[in-house]
Amino acid sequence: MSSDPTAGKDPRTVRTRGRLRDALLAECAGRPLEEVSVSSVVRRAGVGRATFYLHYEDLQALAVDACAEVVRDAVEAVHAFEGLPDPALPPSALAAFFTSVAAHTDLYRGLLHTGGSGPLGELLHRELRTRSRLERERAGAPHSDMADSAVAAVFTGVFADWIHGLISAEPDALSRQVWRLVISIHRIFGPPSR
């Protein structure tokens, strides 16, 4: 299976969707999603309104698609380690991820509500839960739906609250704190003590 999300797709569709995603991100650079219109996005993308609706149901669907990369980046950052993870040393990709999201925080705030709800939160939670399960299998840890849900909920909730300013921490400090939480969850649901 290819990790390229554009594999096997019509190049025109890929181009059009890319232009619409870029246009939305540009429109949201200086204002929240609630203030952006389909008209402004299609004008910036250079496509017709009908073309927009061929690809997306509404602006929120486009925004979730445009933010899918942040979800992939978050999932990869949490799992960017080899061997046994060191609880005191988070993957450098985790701090880099928190640093990188600053460019589009207004957009993320509109899709990721406090506590981790909202369309971006639901997508992030689902992807983190799936990846947690796969990583536990790969590491030979026992299956635990509870651990997978807890990792996804903790990361998504903390990330959302940080984006909304409810948690005050620099990216490096936040990555260390989140990392300790994630590692603690996996340890709690690890193999039983002998």
Side-chain angles (χ1 to χ4, degrees):
M1 185 168 139
S2 172
S3 62
D4 180 1
T6 64
K9 294 187 179 171
D10 182 330
R12 292 170 299 182
T13 297
V14 171
R15 261 191 319 274
T16 299
R17 285 179 166 246
R19 288 169 61 188
L20 287 166
R21 285 190 301 268
D22 291 345
L24 178 72
L25 292 174
E27 288 292 317
C28 289
R31 56 190 169 149
L33 180 63
E34 299 80 37
E35 295 177 13
V36 174
S37 67
V38 170
S39 297
S40 65
V41 170
V42 297
R43 191 170 33 255
R44 185 179 287 267
V47 301
R49 195 174 182 89
T51 300
F52 174 89
Y53 287 109
L54 282 174
H55 296 280
Y56 298 101
E57 181 179 318
D58 54 24
L59 276 178
Q60 183 169 301
L62 170 59
V64 169
D65 187 31
C67 292
E69 187 173 343
V70 78
V71 170
R72 284 190 298 275
D73 291 348
V75 171
E76 291 304 317
V78 172
H79 296 92
F81 62 90
E82 293 192 24
L84 287 175
D86 180 350
L89 186 64
S92 59
L94 195 52
F97 165 75
F98 287 125
T99 301
S100 72
V101 298
H104 302 294
T105 55
D106 286 341
L107 177 59
Y108 301 147
R109 281 186 200 115
L111 297 170
L112 180 61
H113 308 153
T114 58
S117 63
L120 183 57
E122 291 166 13
L123 179 61
L124 181 57
H125 186 277
R126 187 172 52 249
E127 294 297 320
L128 282 166
R129 191 174 193 284
T130 299
R131 183 65 178 272
S132 175
R133 186 185 71 246
L134 294 173
E135 289 297 324
R136 289 178 66 80
E137 288 172 5
R138 187 176 64 84
H143 174 75
S144 174
D145 288 333
M146 183 75 74
D148 301 335
S149 288
V151 165
V154 163
F155 185 91
T156 304
V158 168
F159 176 51
D161 287 356
W162 181 69
I163 286 288
H164 284 276
L166 299 176
I167 295 173
S168 179
E170 293 298 317
D172 285 340
L174 184 65
S175 69
R176 286 191 302 275
Q177 294 163 354
V178 166
W179 182 244
R180 284 196 309 264
L181 287 169
V182 168
I183 294 300
S184 296
I185 291 166
H186 281 298
R187 284 189 173 163
I188 290 168
F189 293 98
S193 302
R194 295 177 196 192

